[in-house]
Amino acid sequence: MGTHLRNLKKRTKGLGGKGKLTGKLIDELSIYFGLAIRRNCESVEKMKTAIWTTLLHKISTDNHPQHDDCPTGENSWCSWQRAKSSNTLATYTHKSLMSDIVYEAINPVYEQLTTDDLLTRCIGGFNQNSNESFNSTVWAMAPKTMNSGKIIIDIATNIASCHGMKIGPKSHELCMDLDEKRIQKAERSLSEGAKQARIDLKTIRKAKQEQEIDEEGQLYGAGIAD
């Protein structure tokens, strides 16, 4: 999602800038998109509904709230639903509204990334194809923006491919258990303050990464389909 939105911003004149498709908004939408998949990875329809729910959440206004499908309760990530749970909707106001220009521009991206074919690949929580997962693991350990010799690349490649390792049922169960605990921890820490801090930090990292890519030329870009 993030890559698609950034590419859209680059090729669409006037889409960037204050109150439009900012880096902060892109990161926020990307986080929502990923969470929608991971929280509903057992069903294509549930993933699709959850993804579109996050977009409707962002374009909601005081006169036209669209939060019916947002998670309910006082611990919901949706501030409107939290206000509803605490009976404070009378004083609730929407903030950081998405402009119609941005919505119209990104809507086709959401259409493209919520096809049944793509979401079927995410069943079980796998939102990267095998090549993307392998490459991202290698470059995380040996970034292209840093000088790395053959030995470092070989080590990173072997680790990414689990070279020489046999993964059995117990190892798979352990990985699934660790992943579940990681998601639960993320859910607990998803307060407004913590979420905003993570978004701000990610925005800074993305900006630095884009600057490095612009300086050296983009050598690798992840795609959705093969």
Side-chain angles (χ1 to χ4, degrees), residues 86-219:
S86 60
N87 296 317
T88 57
L89 278 181
T91 58
Y92 179 86
T93 57
H94 286 81
K95 301 177 181 179
S96 303
L97 303 180
M98 180 186 295
S99 69
D100 292 339
I101 294 176
V102 173
Y103 173 73
E104 293 296 333
I106 70 175
N107 192 71
V109 175
Y110 275 77
E111 292 281 1
Q112 178 186 354
L113 298 184
T114 55
T115 62
D116 289 350
D117 177 58
L118 289 180
L119 292 181
T120 298
R121 303 185 189 188
C122 300
I123 292 292
F126 306 108
N127 53 10
Q128 283 186 316
N129 65 39
S130 57
N131 287 336
E132 290 172 5
S133 179
F134 175 81
N135 288 338
S136 63
T137 302
V138 171
W139 303 137
M141 292 183 285
K144 287 193 172 185
T145 54
M146 299 177 62
N147 292 325
S148 299
K150 182 178 183 300
I151 294 178
I152 298 299
I153 297 298
D154 286 343
I155 292 174
T157 301
N158 287 336
I159 293 176
S161 61
C162 296
H163 184 68
M165 295 178 62
K166 293 183 178 180
I167 305 299
K170 293 296 183 181
S171 296
H172 180 265
E173 290 177 6
L174 175 62
C175 291
M176 295 298 290
D177 182 59
L178 291 174
D179 194 49
E180 179 64 26
K181 290 180 179 178
R182 176 184 60 80
I183 293 176
Q184 290 177 356
K185 182 179 179 181
E187 295 279 359
R188 289 194 298 269
S189 64
L190 199 61
S191 65
E192 286 298 320
K195 182 176 68 176
Q196 189 60 54
R198 288 196 298 273
I199 291 174
D200 291 342
L201 180 59
K202 188 174 181 180
T203 299
I204 294 173
R205 289 175 177 171
K206 287 289 185 181
K208 182 179 179 181
Q209 184 181 44
E210 287 184 356
Q211 182 180 359
E212 291 171 343
I213 289 174
D214 289 339
E215 291 175 354
E216 298 189 9
Q218 187 168 0
L219 301 178

Side-chain angles (χ1 to χ4, degrees), residues 36-37 40-49 119 122-124:
I37 290 177
N40 302 276
C41 59
E42 73 279 5
S43 165
V44 168
E45 287 304 316
K46 287 184 178 180
M47 282 189 282
K48 185 178 297 187
T49 298
L119 292 181
C122 300
I123 292 292

